[in-house]
PDB file of all heavy atoms in Angstrom:
ATOM      1  N   ALA N 979       0.823  31.164 -36.924  1.00  0.00           N
ATOM      2  CA  ALA N 979       0.129  31.702 -35.803  1.00  0.00           C
ATOM      3  C   ALA N 979       0.590  33.086 -35.486  1.00  0.00           C
ATOM      4  O   ALA N 979      -0.207  33.995 -35.051  1.00  0.00           O
ATOM      5  CB  ALA N 979       0.380  30.739 -34.571  1.00  0.00           C
ATOM      6  N   PHE N 982      -1.144  35.235 -38.234  1.00  0.00           N
ATOM      7  CA  PHE N 982      -2.658  35.259 -38.132  1.00  0.00           C
ATOM      8  C   PHE N 982      -3.090  34.819 -36.703  1.00  0.00           C
ATOM      9  O   PHE N 982      -3.822  33.848 -36.622  1.00  0.00           O
ATOM     10  CB  PHE N 982      -3.237  34.361 -39.194  1.00  0.00           C
ATOM     11  CG  PHE N 982      -2.756  34.524 -40.597  1.00  0.00           C
ATOM     12  CD1 PHE N 982      -1.844  33.677 -41.107  1.00  0.00           C
ATOM     13  CD2 PHE N 982      -3.149  35.588 -41.304  1.00  0.00           C
ATOM     14  CE1 PHE N 982      -1.358  33.836 -42.457  1.00  0.00           C
ATOM     15  CE2 PHE N 982      -2.650  35.788 -42.621  1.00  0.00           C
ATOM     16  CZ  PHE N 982      -1.718  34.936 -43.182  1.00  0.00           C
ATOM     17  N   VAL N1003     -12.979  24.375 -28.694  1.00  0.00           N
ATOM     18  CA  VAL N1003     -14.226  24.591 -29.350  1.00  0.00           C
ATOM     19  C   VAL N1003     -14.236  25.913 -30.021  1.00  0.00           C
ATOM     20  O   VAL N1003     -13.773  26.903 -29.422  1.00  0.00           O
ATOM     21  CB  VAL N1003     -15.418  24.493 -28.326  1.00  0.00           C
ATOM     22  CG1 VAL N1003     -16.765  24.854 -29.028  1.00  0.00           C
ATOM     23  CG2 VAL N1003     -15.502  23.136 -27.711  1.00  0.00           C
ATOM     24  N   VAL N1021      -9.318   7.190 -32.077  1.00  0.00           N
ATOM     25  CA  VAL N1021      -9.917   7.306 -33.428  1.00  0.00           C
ATOM     26  C   VAL N1021      -9.412   6.248 -34.453  1.00  0.00           C
ATOM     27  O   VAL N1021     -10.072   6.070 -35.467  1.00  0.00           O
ATOM     28  CB  VAL N1021      -9.754   8.734 -33.997  1.00  0.00           C
ATOM     29  CG1 VAL N1021     -10.476   9.758 -33.142  1.00  0.00           C
ATOM     30  CG2 VAL N1021      -8.262   9.086 -34.165  1.00  0.00           C
ATOM     31  N   THR N1045      -4.893   9.678 -37.710  1.00  0.00           N
ATOM     32  CA  THR N1045      -4.937   8.458 -38.494  1.00  0.00           C
ATOM     33  C   THR N1045      -4.177   8.681 -39.833  1.00  0.00           C
ATOM     34  O   THR N1045      -3.866   7.642 -40.453  1.00  0.00           O
ATOM     35  CB  THR N1045      -6.358   8.070 -38.834  1.00  0.00           C
ATOM     36  OG1 THR N1045      -6.904   9.043 -39.750  1.00  0.00           O
ATOM     37  CG2 THR N1045      -7.197   7.867 -37.578  1.00  0.00           C
ATOM     38  N   GLU N1052     -20.532  10.929 -40.615  1.00  0.00           N
ATOM     39  CA  GLU N1052     -21.436  11.235 -39.491  1.00  0.00           C
ATOM     40  C   GLU N1052     -21.495  10.122 -38.528  1.00  0.00           C
ATOM     41  O   GLU N1052     -21.670   8.971 -38.986  1.00  0.00           O
ATOM     42  CB  GLU N1052     -22.793  11.632 -40.042  1.00  0.00           C
ATOM     43  CG  GLU N1052     -23.656  12.259 -38.969  1.00  0.00           C
ATOM     44  CD  GLU N1052     -24.883  12.909 -39.411  1.00  0.00           C
ATOM     45  OE1 GLU N1052     -24.830  13.563 -40.500  1.00  0.00           O
ATOM     46  OE2 GLU N1052     -25.933  12.771 -38.747  1.00  0.00           O
ATOM     47  N   GLY N1055     -24.990  11.600 -35.122  1.00  0.00           N
ATOM     48  CA  GLY N1055     -25.408  12.954 -35.220  1.00  0.00           C
ATOM     49  C   GLY N1055     -24.316  13.988 -35.242  1.00  0.00           C
ATOM     50  O   GLY N1055     -24.574  15.214 -35.280  1.00  0.00           O
ATOM     51  N   THR N1068       0.961   9.609 -46.555  1.00  0.00           N
ATOM     52  CA  THR N1068      -0.175   9.122 -47.475  1.00  0.00           C
ATOM     53  C   THR N1068      -0.215  10.251 -48.471  1.00  0.00           C
ATOM     54  O   THR N1068       0.610  11.117 -48.650  1.00  0.00           O
ATOM     55  CB  THR N1068      -1.489   8.966 -46.731  1.00  0.00           C
ATOM     56  OG1 THR N1068      -1.791  10.220 -46.130  1.00  0.00           O
ATOM     57  CG2 THR N1068      -1.337   7.946 -45.563  1.00  0.00           C
ATOM     58  N   ASP N1079     -24.999  29.629 -43.019  1.00  0.00           N
ATOM     59  CA  ASP N1079     -26.301  29.526 -42.330  1.00  0.00           C
ATOM     60  C   ASP N1079     -26.380  28.327 -41.429  1.00  0.00           C
ATOM     61  O   ASP N1079     -27.415  27.645 -41.288  1.00  0.00           O
ATOM     62  CB  ASP N1079     -27.438  29.551 -43.292  1.00  0.00           C
ATOM     63  CG  ASP N1079     -27.686  30.962 -44.006  1.00  0.00           C
ATOM     64  OD1 ASP N1079     -27.337  31.962 -43.352  1.00  0.00           O
ATOM     65  OD2 ASP N1079     -28.176  30.992 -45.068  1.00  0.00           O
TER      66      ASP N1079
END
Side-chain angles (χ1 to χ4, degrees):
F982 309 104
V1003 174
V1021 296
T1045 68
E1052 189 168 320
T1068 58
D1079 288 332

